[in-house]
Amino acid sequence: MSADGFTAGPPPGARPDWTIDQGWDAYTSQEHQVWMTLYERQSKLLPGRACDAFLRGLDALDLHRGGIPDFNRINEELNRLTGWSVVAVPGLVPDEVFFEHLANRRFPAGQFIRRPDQLDYLQEPDVFHDVFGHVPMLTDPTFADYMAAYGEGGLKAMGRGQLHNLARLYWYTVEFGLLQTEAGLRIYGAGIVSSHAESIFALDDPSPNRIGFDLERVMRTPYRIDDFQQAYFVIPSLQALLDATLQDFDRLYRDLERRPDIAIEAIAPGDAVITRGTQAYARARARPA
Ligand SMILES: [Fe+2]
């Protein structure tokens, strides 16, 4: 994930493209243990919840081994499958740096891991969110193409002042996307799949809306960074998601300038409603304690 507002260059010790060495040998046994605790909890929960491409990716990269993966090891297989690799970065990186990496099939991943007292909540993406959450999907050729197209789209959107719209696409797909399958809804978004509580909430809770994916609809919808989502968007297939990026984004951006945002909890005319949420969770959280 990226963040704007950076004025200086990379921090001391980072390369001009903000990458650093992962320093795998320097992880402590306690840090490896944090990964294993998170990993075991998610791997019990995700069969029947995460999409097949994600579960296949865990197998393909052999992420079942104990401890924080060595990027050099997983990159060999990832590169062979889809031409992607994982590069270590010190934390959030500027938008342009982030898009440039994605467009060149490099996924910037946080090198650090959360503390044992932060298993459920963390502000900045760490190696568990970035590698467990994001990297398995990058073994899928269609999703891998989508992520590279997103990076190229990001570089173009920067010059047009449209990043806030494009960031919503990333949020509601790469981070919090759901996929419709014959067996029911499945998770492909990294923000869900790396969170124990949201892996349950996103599929089972009656509170959020679940709405069929539509590119313009998604780009008009704000999102929450501080709590579970109030809306999830459901793609019919990974191919449909990739195909959506082949639209003329210039025309879309021009249309968006004339169209207002849609309230985060709203069902809008034309929505393909899969679940009309009660919004009970969000309302309860909004009430002062
Ligand atoms: Fe992420």
Side-chain angles (χ1 to χ4, degrees):
M1 193 58 185
S2 66
D4 50 16
F6 289 92
T7 49
R15 301 179 189 96
D17 67 357
W18 287 66
T19 61
I20 56 174
D21 289 332
Q22 184 193 9
W24 188 81
D25 291 332
Y27 289 121
T28 66
S29 58
Q30 189 190 49
E31 287 173 321
H32 284 299
Q33 189 56 52
V34 170
W35 172 284
M36 284 189 273
T37 302
L38 291 165
Y39 188 92
E40 279 165 26
R41 199 166 65 156
Q42 286 311 87
S43 57
K44 276 191 204 121
L45 181 64
L46 290 175
R49 291 182 179 272
C51 71
D52 288 347
F54 179 87
L55 297 170
R56 269 200 308 272
L58 287 183
D59 289 340
L61 299 174
D62 197 13
L63 289 177
H64 310 294
R65 295 181 191 202
I68 300 166
D70 183 339
F71 294 177
N72 290 329
R73 180 183 70 77
I74 56 179
N75 280 343
E76 277 180 36
E77 186 62 10
L78 183 57
N79 202 278
R80 193 185 70 73
L81 288 168
T82 57
W84 274 80
S85 61
V86 184
V87 292
V89 290
L92 294 173
V93 300
D95 289 322
E96 188 172 11
V97 173
F98 183 67
F99 295 139
E100 188 73 39
H101 279 302
L102 294 188
N104 289 287
R105 294 185 179 245
R106 294 186 299 265
F107 187 78
Q111 171 272 351
F112 71 100
I113 191 151
R114 66 196 75 182
R115 296 192 314 259
D117 62 340
Q118 297 173 311
L119 291 188
D120 292 310
Y121 179 74
L122 183 73
Q123 273 185 326
E124 278 205 40
D126 71 342
V127 67
F128 186 77
H129 168 82
D130 278 337
V131 173
F132 180 88
H134 284 281
V135 175
M137 288 302 293
L138 293 173
T139 64
D140 181 273
T142 308
F143 192 82
D145 286 353
Y146 171 70
M147 284 287 275
Y150 183 88
E152 286 164 20
L155 291 170
K156 286 185 201 148
M158 282 192 77
R160 294 176 188 137
Q162 295 291 348
L163 269 193
H164 64 290
N165 290 126
L166 196 71
R168 292 169 174 178
L169 176 62
Y170 191 88
W171 194 263
Y172 281 121
T173 61
V174 177
E175 294 291 357
F176 291 95
L178 296 179
L179 168 70
Q180 186 69 264
T181 76
E182 284 179 10
L185 292 181
R186 293 290 183 270
I187 305 161
Y188 72 94
I192 308 177
V193 98
S194 62
S195 158
H196 188 77
E198 196 149 0
S199 293
I200 298 167
F201 181 88
L203 293 181
D204 297 350
D205 202 279
S207 187
N209 294 324
R210 298 177 185 85
I211 302 166
F213 176 86
D214 175 86
L215 184 61
E216 187 195 303
R217 167 61 157 102
V218 166
M219 286 195 178
R220 291 173 63 193
T221 311
Y223 56 82
R224 301 192 65 123
I225 59 166
D226 58 340
D227 209 331
F228 297 144
Q229 300 307 303
Q230 290 180 249
Y232 296 93
F233 290 92
V234 180
I235 56 169
S237 66
L238 295 173
Q239 187 64 50
L241 179 62
L242 176 60
D243 290 348
T245 62
L246 303 177
Q247 295 190 34
D248 180 351
F249 275 56
D250 278 335
R251 204 183 75 190
L252 187 62
Y253 291 146
R254 281 196 300 276
D255 290 347
L256 285 169
E257 281 167 16
R258 296 193 302 270
R259 292 179 191 162
D261 280 358
I262 296 167
I264 197 166
E265 74 285 358
I267 296 287
D271 279 351
V273 179
I274 293 158
T275 311
R276 184 180 292 267
T278 62
Q279 299 297 335
Y281 174 83
R283 267 201 302 277
R285 297 280 285 189
R287 220 174 284 140

